[in-house]
């Protein structure tokens, strides 16, 4: 897909109980002149109201369905608004808006349909060593099962062209959606590129993020599915 300089770019944030940080994140993205859709995934706090006040389009799930379902809702919404480029962006403050142009430039330069952020080609701060080991293990597993040559398989910062986004249909509602996206990229046959990005871990994002035990469970579940497929 040929991407013009004035492409219609939408940033998708899946959010669950992020009222304390979502306003700052939306404001940062708005200052960069991006269109933003926040999918409020059944939050019990004021995530919806804070995001809307900060300038985001807000779509609400009446109950919590999980990040995979929220991202798919956001993808569908952005496509319905005519998006040419879609960027998935975590709502807990780990990602930098300044990395988005780098992802979009890579799509254009490499004529790719997926630009996947990599913290291991870029930088991380305050990444616990056990989480690093699990992320490395997940990346090795992804290479073996999909054939994709990646350095980071569970990074939520990514850019997709419209063609790439229409090739994605998430059915894994919870955290396993990150592996599902990569499987679908491999199956699509569309071009992908990895791009260095910065991930900033804070006490807040680590508390909100996937627990270590959940990570192990997901890895074992994915391995079992591949074994018996």
């Amino acid at each position: 897909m040929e991407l013009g300089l004035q492409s219609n770019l939408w940033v998708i944030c899946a959010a669950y109980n992020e009222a304390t940080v979502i306003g700052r994140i939306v404001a940062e993205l708005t200052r960069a002149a991006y269109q933003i859709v926040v999918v409020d995934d059944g939050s019990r706090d004021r995530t919806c109201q804070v995001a809307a006040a900060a300038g985001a389009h807000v779509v609400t799930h009446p109950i919590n369905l999980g990040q995979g379902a929220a991202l798919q809702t956001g993808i569908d919404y952005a496509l319905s608004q005519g998006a040419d480029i879609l960027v998935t962006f975590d709502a807990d403050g780990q990602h930098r808006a300044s990395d988005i142009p780098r992802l979009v430039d890579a799509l254009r330069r490499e004529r790719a349909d997926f630009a996947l952020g990599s913290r291991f080609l870029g930088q991380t701060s305050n990444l616990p060593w056990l989480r690093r080991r699990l992320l490395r293990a997940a990346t090795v597993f992804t290479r073996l099962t999909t054939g994709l040559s990646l350095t980071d398989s569970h990074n939520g910062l990514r850019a997709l062209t419209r063609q790439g986004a229409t090739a994605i249909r998430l059915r894994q509602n919870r955290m396993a959606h990150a592996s599902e996206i990569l499987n679908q990229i491999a199956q699509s046959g569309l071009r992908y590129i990895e791009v260095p990005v910065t991930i900033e871990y804070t006490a807040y994002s680590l508390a909100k993020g996937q627990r270590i035990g959940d990570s192990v469970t997901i890895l074992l579940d994915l391995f079992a599915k591949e074994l018996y497929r």
Side-chain angles (χ1 to χ4, degrees):
M1 177 180 180
E2 193 69 30
L3 300 174
L5 293 177
Q6 301 302 318
S7 295
N8 186 8
L9 188 153
W10 280 78
V11 179
I12 301 162
C13 294
Y16 178 62
N17 293 339
E18 302 285 9
T20 59
V21 296
I22 194 66
R24 173 180 61 81
I25 291 166
V26 170
E28 181 183 7
L29 293 167
T30 300
R31 284 195 298 272
Y34 298 127
Q35 300 260 39
I36 307 114
V37 55
V38 171
V39 181
D40 178 15
D41 189 30
S43 296
R44 298 187 299 272
D45 63 7
R46 298 186 69 254
T47 294
C48 176
Q49 295 89 334
V50 174
H57 298 246
V58 179
V59 180
T60 302
H61 287 170
I63 60 173
N64 178 245
L65 297 176
Q67 191 175 22
L71 285 176
Q72 188 60 59
T73 295
I75 289 170
D76 291 342
Y77 182 87
L79 290 174
S80 76
Q81 301 301 305
D84 296 316
I85 303 175
L86 300 81
V87 175
T88 63
F89 196 93
D90 284 359
D92 59 7
Q94 290 190 59
H95 296 160
R96 288 182 173 180
S98 58
D99 278 329
I100 293 177
R102 186 179 300 175
L103 294 167
V104 175
D105 287 346
L107 289 179
R108 294 179 173 134
R109 184 179 65 253
E110 301 294 333
R111 296 183 178 273
D113 286 292
F114 305 96
L116 308 174
S118 171
R119 78 200 85 195
F120 297 119
L121 293 177
Q123 301 179 55
T124 63
S125 61
N126 304 315
L127 174 59
W129 72 269
L130 181 55
R131 189 178 296 261
R132 182 184 294 271
R133 296 291 293 271
L134 285 168
L135 288 168
R136 293 288 195 186
T139 298
V140 171
F141 179 84
T142 299
R143 288 178 182 171
L144 293 173
T145 57
T146 67
L148 299 180
S149 179
L150 298 176
T151 62
D152 191 349
S153 63
H154 280 67
N155 194 320
L157 183 55
R158 56 180 82 85
L160 307 81
T161 65
R162 186 177 186 88
Q163 183 177 4
T166 56
I168 300 299
R169 177 54 55 178
L170 296 175
R171 297 176 179 84
Q172 297 285 343
N173 289 348
R174 302 292 168 179
M175 293 306 296
H177 76 275
S179 297
E180 185 182 27
I181 287 176
L182 296 177
N183 280 320
Q184 293 184 12
I185 289 173
Q187 292 166 9
S188 75
L190 298 173
R191 184 169 173 76
Y192 69 93
I193 184 75
E194 274 198 302
V195 179
V197 299
T198 298
I199 303 295
E200 299 178 4
Y201 291 92
T202 63
Y204 176 85
S205 67
L206 288 170
K208 287 285 297 186
Q210 184 176 313
R211 292 186 298 271
I212 297 298
D214 293 340
S215 302
V216 173
T217 300
I218 288 170
L219 282 172
L220 291 174
D221 182 56
L222 291 169
F223 179 77
K225 287 179 179 177
E226 287 296 322
L227 186 63
Y228 292 104
R229 192 170 68 175

